Amino acid sequence: MSDRALGVTFSVPYEIAAVRQLRQTSLQDREHALQACGYNCELLPQDAIYIDLSTDSGVSALSTAQIAAGSGTEAVEPAMGMATEASRAFASLSTQYRKFFGFPYLVPTTQGRAAERIWAKIHVKPGTVVPGNMLFPSTRMHIESNGGKVIDVIADGAHNLQSEDPFKGNLDIEKLGALFREHGRQKVSCIYVELSVNACGGHPVSLGNLKKVKALAVTNGVPLFLDACRILENSYLIRQREAGYHDRSIREIVFETCESADGCTMSAMKDFLVPMGGMIGSRDPVTFQKATVQSFLDGAQPPASAMQMISTALDEIVAEDAYVTSRVEQVNYLWRRLRERVPLVHPPAGHAVYVDLAAFLPHIAPENHRAEALAAFLYYVSGIRVTKGAPPAPAQAARGVELLRLAVPARKYVQGHIDDVAEALLYAYAHRHEIKGLKQVEDPQRGKYQPSHFEPL
Ligand code: F0G
């Protein structure tokens, strides 16, 4: 994790300034906790958890400067309403946003899904199609609820879990061209590209691929939008893996990535290390105005404190490469510790390590909830929590691909934690034959949207 370019070993560019005490639990405590939550680790109480790898979203550690920005008097100002320019927090975030991402117009929101909801409402017309690369369920849902149909044009390599292809998030340019020929450009609302594609293993999209997608978008007169919530990690992997970018700074790669797009939606709760916030970036003043009005109507405007915290984070984490280096290298370290023995998705990604469940638990049938079964076993033996997470993309479900994500929250865990995760996973794999499938408990008292309860088979 060192940055030798600085002439020193400078692995982690921050120190711990405040900590939260963790409760140590016994095997018996954890057995009771599992019984109480119906073997569904999503329902575990937070104070029964040692290391939480269920998400990297909204759970990273804040810096002292972020806490000051979010709680200081600067953050006390009235809600923006329609007078966005009058907000000091908005003005400061807009300046930062233009500086780092280059989009002239910013609409801040409460979360990524709020940004997608607004953006899809403006851009997706009923009866049209939206080509994408295994888009996140919230993006897909907002496109579909506006009458659009998402068509997956991710390259087939994304389905090969073992290959070392460095850019499995890339779109298949042939498939994209064929989609335009089949549907005609009028039937395509926009192209949506997710960076660091979460569904298939956090795999990055290369700049070379993005530029080819942009060229097709321009030829067909269709806008190209990014889901850029993991743009920092995508940029780091571009610098590591794409010819021509090894000597470029993360900040330059982030900027060049945005240059290829007409707009973007992003959750700020992942790469930008805040507990609340999302952003829409636009180059078009008309859609910017529409999105501003829509965010006001939807009640999707963030408070000043959230905007101040994002502004502060941008200086700390985009301006210098050291942060993202330590972030991604910590995830890579976990991947390297496991790869010899545990069936993982290859190559490593920026925010999570993904376990191939069919290879890990071949003795458990898919209908017996392999993800929940492994999560419950892991929690029982170690206190570490992982959860099933978002459902697989339709193309993965059709192929029977099932992954369990170990999402590493940024800046939160030290090497000792990561070593404990590795030991627990290695133990679980060595004892995999002891892991039994689960069956869902039919309970008429639980509503259909409540997380399920299970019992061991
Ligand atoms: N896009 C991607 C790629 C995401 O991973 C998420 C959220 C969103 C959009 C929506 O953003 O949560 O701010 O509304 N991912 C979380 C996760 C939930 O655990 O990966 P949001």
Side-chain angles (χ1 to χ4, degrees), residues 55 111-113 116 136 194 227 229-230 267 270 405:
T55 184
Q111 273 192 248
R113 63 198 73 180
E116 292 162 358
F136 194 74
E194 181 180 321
D227 173 349
C229 67
R230 294 198 175 90
S267 166
K270 288 108 181 123
R405 181 182 74 164

Side-chain angles (χ1 to χ4, degrees), residues 54-57 110-114 116 135-139 194-198 227-230 265-270 277-278 351 390 405 407:
S54 59
T55 184
D56 63 326
S57 181
T110 43
Q111 273 192 248
R113 63 198 73 180
E116 292 162 358
L135 300 177
F136 194 74
S138 60
T139 325
E194 181 180 321
L195 304 175
S196 304
V197 183
N198 186 67
D227 173 349
C229 67
R230 294 198 175 90
T265 52
M266 52 171 96
S267 166
M269 294 159 64
K270 288 108 181 123
H351 72 291
R405 181 182 74 164

Side-chain angles (χ1 to χ4, degrees), residues 440-448 450 453:
Q440 195 170 333
V441 176
E442 301 301 334
D443 180 356
Q445 301 298 315
R446 289 186 77 73
K448 72 171 177 173
Q450 283 180 284
H453 281 174

Side-chain angles (χ1 to χ4, degrees), residues 24 53 131 148 157 171 210 213 228 234 247 268 275 305-306 323 333 357 362-363 395:
Q24 290 189 30
L53 304 182
L171 282 72
L210 210 48
V213 174
N234 199 82
D247 296 329
S305 55
Y323 159 72
Y333 171 78
L357 283 167
H363 60 287

Side-chain angles (χ1 to χ4, degrees), residues 244-261:
Y245 289 93
H246 303 313
D247 296 329
R248 304 284 294 282
S249 71
I250 298 301
R251 183 172 168 174
E252 287 169 334
I253 299 174
V254 165
F255 201 87
E256 195 173 324
T257 303
C258 291
E259 273 180 333
S260 69

